[in-house]
Amino acid sequence: MGDQEQSFYVQGMSCANCAKTFENNVKEISTVKNADVNFGASKITVEGAASIEDLEKAGSFENLKITQEYEDTPQKSFWDYVKENGNVVGSLIFLALGIALFFQIGEEHPVTIGSFIASIVIGGHRLFIAGFQNLVKLRFDMKTLMTIAVIGAALIGEWIEGAAVVILFAISEALESYSMDKARNSIKSLMGIAPKTANIMRDGQQQEVSVDNIQVNDIVIVKPGEKIPVDGVVSKGESSINQASITGESVPVYKGLDDEVFAGTLNEEGYLEVRTTKLVKDSTLSKIIHLVEEAQNEKAPAQQFVDRFAAYYTPLIMLIALGVATVPPLFFGARFETWLYQGLAVLVVGCPCALVVSTPVAIVTAIGSAARNGVLVKGGAYLESLGHIDAIAFDKTGTITKGEPVVQHYQNLSNKSDDELFSIASSLERQSQHPLARAVIHYAEQFNLQHYEVERFQAQTGKGITGLINGTDYQIGSPGMFQELSAAVQIEVENLQEQGHTVILIAGNNTVIGIIAIADAVRDMPKQMIKDIHALGMKHSILLTGDNDKTARSISEQVGIKEFLANLLPKDKQTQIKQLSQKYGKVAMVGDGVNDAPALATADVGIAMGSAGTDTALETADIALMGDDLSKLPFTVRLSRRTLNIIKQNIGFALGLKVVALLLVIPGWLTLWIAILADMGATLLVTLNALRLIKNKETN
């Protein structure tokens, strides 16, 4: 295989420390040059040659199962996780038996002690194997701490508490595994969206094939109620397509001939034939899945802090525990057994389970929640950064506006009907390729207006068009095309231009008979979106555009944007983003992901919209709004802030509870029972707190 990269899915990876141990074990395989475990996505990427057997051997300490392809396994209950973690049920039975014997024949009886030893061995044999391996390699993680604590409890005769530590730690591990799998379900739900097989037409016959065998230009048959298996364009039929899985849109979208459709979307009512444009591995859905998986491996600053802190925290706890166990007996004449017990309790309460799980569960859950709502966040760092944004800049064309000039207003100054006026205007403009001409033609087509034959057609570059229709000379073009304008027409032109419109005049025999105002149409959502953004406390909103000041001011006022910067080239937008950062602090940039790429890359957070099927947006943006829907922006800001709050709550609570429990050492009140219950309670609470993000909906 050489040094090529291979990706494998991992089942059974219960904790971040276990993932790190697995990664280190894989790196020790002689044929592997490097390995990278993505704990959030439960995936490993290996550089070099490694078989599934090699990888499973490296993961044998936790009975990891490795597969080349994603396997859609049934969802497990919490007790399934408990049973998978150290034969907890058997351990519980022997612990219960030991407690019963404790009251019947005493704690010193060999049968009682034997029951507790059986409970410890059955429930903790995997824990001890991993703990001893870590001790040999001087790796100090949770399993190392627990192994030392249980052995110490056994040495001083605290059998019942040693067994309880094993069982409660196993339940804590099961809880972490359960919570991570709940968080990972967001990816699993994406992976299960697209069908595995499809009906295609080959050699004039319909046949069912695996989606992996579908080639570009194959014709795929999609019946009503079926999911579309590939990215492609409609070659026959029409239907309403539910695109919520890709774009987050709640309302089905009409699709007809030559319209683009995406793998994983639902054909609701009509028969379709779809010509494949991308292989399955290159589909928009596949890219989203890949990017979400990678995003879950991109650590947020808060998670990086926790990782760095944990690297020093665990050795520090071991030193504190050693000090608690030795200083009072050696220097103050205290009983050695009493303070050794206290030292063991410090080891248990100092276990960083809750701290380690506090951030990744929140990040993974939030990214999955965003993906289900049509927002692709490419890493925890960007999710966190968005919560700290002080200013947000918007590209105008294609973002705030539709990017298509349309007729906004007109004034008929003749005795002709409005239909007659636009029939003349559109007949003249049909000879032109100018974007403004297309706006007039499109307006006329909406009302199925008739066309006139144009004679003596002539185009005046930069000004307009002249032509003869039914014996009358007509002119259509910019105001500069006409020598003299009446005062009333001049005032109306200036008023419309002040409002940001481009003005076209129509004249017959040199007399102005109509005024048409054209402008890039503002999208339906920006006004409410800007209102929501400001309501969230975003202090500064800025419009960036290559248009003139009048147009920029008009658009800004229409949608409620506070500032505008006009007459900008694409490179100027990048410069302005830098200047806005210096002026306001952290800045987000929202654009269409094509010509805005430099500005998107320069901003603290680059947000591309309308990116379903647009490779450029997926590549250049930190966050992509998949449904061309700006209403997702306030939702994403709220999600970011909520995630940040939950992470802060989790870290604060996890550390605070440790401090409180450790303070109990001073009067000698800390017991192994309190220690393990405090640790497991903290893990449970931070996990449940993080999983609240699963319920986060776009309407929140």
Side-chain angles (χ1 to χ4, degrees), residues 382 385-386 389-400 529 533 538 540-546 561 565 568-578 580-581 585-609 617 620-625 630 633 637:
Y382 308 121
S385 293
L386 187 62
I389 291 298
D390 300 304
I392 187 161
F394 297 91
D395 172 54
K396 181 185 79 73
T397 306
T399 303
I400 297 298
M529 177 272 296
I533 285 290
M538 194 78 71
H540 309 284
S541 55
I542 307 99
L543 182 73
L544 306 181
T545 178
I561 293 177
L565 296 167
L568 301 178
L569 298 172
K571 64 178 182 180
D572 298 329
K573 293 179 184 179
Q574 183 182 24
T575 304
Q576 290 297 333
I577 290 293
K578 291 178 182 177
L580 289 170
S581 295
K586 290 188 176 293
V587 176
M589 167 73 185
V590 185
D592 59 15
V594 184
N595 62 346
D596 299 317
L600 289 172
T602 303
D604 293 284
V605 180
I607 303 169
M609 59 172 299
T620 60
D622 304 320
I623 296 173
L625 309 180
L630 283 169
L633 188 54
V637 174

